[in-house]
């Protein structure tokens, strides 16, 4: 059975009523998440075997080939019509495949003409905004360049993709060392494989200070191959930006503004008056070969169809949680709960968007705003009034003691100023890496310079933290967006939800004025309208300072 995720106007924006057709001593949501996977999978959107994601052609692997051929044929026809002066429809450009959109000169010329003058069809501000986004996508791919330069752009994009994938794999790989090189009293804190000790991370949660220090120094020890990959990726990005007419890669990015068992109790998201809004597939548990990354990604974006109906979105929410055992369910740490809420924020952004164009649905918006819904959900995950509704003993259903609950939530507010400072440091480092090239030394030299300037804790000698910083791949020159998004999310929380996180009118207003637009409305305009104030640097800074002060007050109240 497929659980139904119902959104009720009469309740909280984040308080969901789940209905499923089987009985359990757990809550319906817990039952769905803690059922062990079967070997035979049904990834269809209905109970019947309708094919992968409800697509009839995908009942077998041969269906992918048939769909590819069909898509190619339809794309050719749409391309021809789209740059024809007598085209029949204004929906064609949205329907084209990205590979054609970004490399077709005649299509680019037609779009350039429409943006510079006007279209033969009446257009709305949303149409014009999306057309400019498409045009920028074209030019980021160098379509306006001479043929030799375009060829080099393709080569650089391919190189950057491969270097990034190899860097991310290296960033997550464990560090192995002989058992004899680690003191006997520390070995049991780490995994042991034969005569080697495997250090898989920073072990920041270890109760032993010496184990934490050993993990930090070993896991972050400089790696020549990772340094080579990072340097080559930064160099290639800089060349790409310069070819496309930008002084640095930072300028390019800021100007623009994803076999084994799969756990899926695919959720249908149902609104009490509007009906089905979309589907969320949940791939939550660790398994061999699975990327060690918590994320949300789109299978099918929502969009308005030519006949006036709406194509509902299909997304995947992927985590790496410990799988349930026969004797007990999957038990989450507070950090895992935060990640679940964070990624669910992305999923709900995709579910609640109602955009005309698939290109700007849900999280397909400027990076500055894409993290706002996910960061906002972290505030709900840290509020005792919200956590109280689900933090219960898995055997007795007894609620968490109030004192423990309050202290758990308050513990997330410790070191708020320090955490803010480290985010500033990360953002500054990312911008420096993607600024003018060549860099004045190695990436470690640059890190030391930026850390001494922006962070109060000095570098640890013989470590190279940046070689484990996988966000440099997906968020290259855009890591600052986390700070920007946190400022906006804090502002929204303080304005609409801090007094009452279950306020249904605030939740509906947030849905209609923020999430529904996806990227179809410029983010600055959207946020300014929703919050009733201009989005200026001083307002964003004040929002972050207010957040730090608020967390400090919570800690002080507990101390006294």
């Amino acid at each position: 059975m497929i659980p139904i995720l119902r959104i009720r106007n009469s309740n909280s924006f984040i308080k969901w009523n789940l209905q499923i057709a089987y009985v359990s001593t757990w809550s319906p949501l817990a039952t769905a998440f803690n059922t062990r996977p079967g070997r035979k999978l049904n990834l269809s959107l209905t109970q019947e075997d309708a094919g992968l994601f409800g697509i009839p052609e995908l009942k077998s692997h041969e269906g992918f080939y048939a769909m590819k051929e069909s898509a190619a044929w339809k794309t050719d026809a749409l391309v021809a019509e789209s740059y024809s002066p007598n085209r029949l429809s204004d929906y064609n450009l949205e329907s084209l495949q990205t590979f054609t959109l970004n490399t077709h000169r005649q299509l680019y010329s037609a779009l350039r003409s429409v943006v510079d003058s006007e279209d033969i069809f009446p257009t709305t501000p949303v149409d014009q905004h999306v057309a400019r986004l498409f045009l920028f996508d074209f030019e980021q791919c160098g379509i306006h360049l001479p043929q030799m330069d375009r060829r080099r752009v393709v080569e650089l994009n391919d190189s950057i993709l491969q270097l990034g994938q190899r860097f991310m794999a290296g960033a997550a790989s464990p560090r192995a060392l002989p058992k004899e090189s680690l003191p006997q009293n520390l070995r049991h804190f780490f995994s042991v494989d034969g005569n080697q000790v495997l250090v898989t991370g920073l072990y920041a949660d270890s109760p032993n200070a010496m184990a934490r220090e050993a993990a930090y120094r070993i896991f972050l020890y400089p790696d020549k191959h990772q340094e080579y990959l990072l340097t080559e990726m930064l160099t290639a990005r800089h060349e790409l930006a310069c070819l496309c007419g930008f002084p640095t890669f930072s300028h390019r990015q800021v100007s623009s503004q994803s076999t084994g068992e799969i756990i899926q109790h695919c959720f249908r998201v149902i609104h009490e008056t509007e009906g089905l809004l979309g589907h969320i597939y949940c791939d939550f548990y660790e398994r061999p070969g699975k990327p060690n990354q918590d994320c949300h990604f789109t299978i099918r974006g929502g969009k308005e169809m030519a006949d006036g109906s709406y194509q509902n979105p299909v997304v995947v929410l992927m985590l790496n949680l410990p799988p349930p055992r026969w004797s007990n369910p999957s038990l989450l740490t507070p950090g895992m709960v935060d990640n679940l809420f964070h990624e669910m924020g992305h999923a709900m952004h995709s579910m609640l968007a109602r955009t005309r164009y698939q290109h700007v649905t849900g999280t397909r918006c400027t990076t500055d705003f894409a993290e706002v819904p996910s960061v906002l959900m972290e505030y709900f995950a840290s509020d005792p009034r919200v956590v109280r509704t689900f933090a219960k003993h898995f055997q007795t259903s007894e609620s968490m003691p109030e004192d423990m609950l309050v202290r758990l939530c308050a513990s997330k507010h410790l070191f708020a100023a320090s955490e803010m400072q480290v985010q500033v440091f990360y953002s500054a480092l990312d911008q420096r890496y993607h600024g003018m090239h060549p860099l004045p030394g190695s990436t470690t030299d640059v890190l030391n310079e930026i850390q001494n300037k922006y962070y109060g804790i000095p570098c640890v000698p013989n470590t190279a933290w940046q070689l484990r910083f996988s966000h440099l791949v997906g968020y290259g020159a855009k890591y600052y967006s986390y700070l920007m998004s946190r400022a906006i999310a804090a502002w929204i929380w303080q304005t609409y939800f801090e007094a009452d996180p279950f306020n249904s009118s605030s939740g509906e207003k947030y849905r209609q004025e923020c999430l529904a637009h996806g990227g179809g409305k410029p983010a600055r305009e959207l946020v300014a309208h929703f919050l009733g104030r201009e989005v200026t640097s001083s307002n964003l800074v004040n929002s972050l300072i207010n957040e730090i002060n608020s967390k400090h007050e919570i800690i002080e109240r507990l101390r006294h």
Side-chain angles (χ1 to χ4, degrees), residues 116-167:
D116 289 343
S117 52
E118 59 182 21
D119 196 8
I120 61 174
F121 291 94
T123 58
T124 67
V126 173
D127 297 329
Q128 296 158 16
H129 174 62
V130 174
R132 288 191 293 270
L133 292 177
F134 274 131
L135 192 67
F136 190 79
D137 286 344
F138 268 120
E139 294 175 349
Q140 277 199 316
C141 293
I143 197 169
H144 57 300
L145 301 176
Q147 183 176 358
M148 291 296 293
D149 288 344
R150 290 203 310 273
R151 189 172 302 165
R152 180 58 179 158
V153 166
V154 172
E155 292 173 354
L156 286 168
N157 274 316
D158 182 62
S159 176
I160 290 167
L161 176 62
Q162 294 191 39
L163 287 166
Q165 290 175 339
R166 291 160 63 190
F167 179 82

Side-chain angles (χ1 to χ4, degrees), residues 162 200 204 274 385 498 528:
Q162 294 191 39
T200 59
E274 299 172 27
R385 294 165 294 182
E498 189 171 37

Side-chain angles (χ1 to χ4, degrees), residues 333-343 374 378 381-382 412:
T333 67
M336 293 175 183
V337 172
D338 291 342
N339 283 353
L340 172 60
F341 271 69
H342 179 100
E343 299 303 336
S374 54
E378 294 178 22
S382 301
K412 299 181 181 181

Side-chain angles (χ1 to χ4, degrees), residues 60-97:
S60 66
H61 68 275
E62 291 88 353
F64 284 97
Y65 178 79
M67 288 189 67
K68 171 192 168 187
E69 293 297 302
S70 175
W73 181 84
K74 291 178 181 177
T75 296
D76 288 340
L78 286 170
V79 167
E81 185 183 340
S82 292
Y83 64 77
S84 167
N86 300 311
R87 71 183 192 275
L88 301 177
S89 168
D90 61 344
Y91 277 86
N92 295 333
L93 192 61
E94 168 68 11
S95 303
L96 300 179
Q97 299 296 319

Side-chain angles (χ1 to χ4, degrees), residues 432-475:
R432 183 65 185 87
Y433 279 163
H434 292 97
M436 296 304 297
H437 275 245
L439 295 174
S442 69
T443 60
T444 301
D445 295 332
V446 174
L447 180 141
N448 291 338
E449 172 201 336
I450 300 299
Q451 182 162 347
N452 290 336
K453 184 175 182 180
Y454 290 103
Y455 194 36
I457 299 177
C459 294
V460 177
N462 294 318
T463 62
W465 166 86
Q466 79 282 5
L467 303 182
R468 298 285 187 174
F469 191 33
S470 59
H471 277 79
L472 289 172
V473 177
Y475 280 79

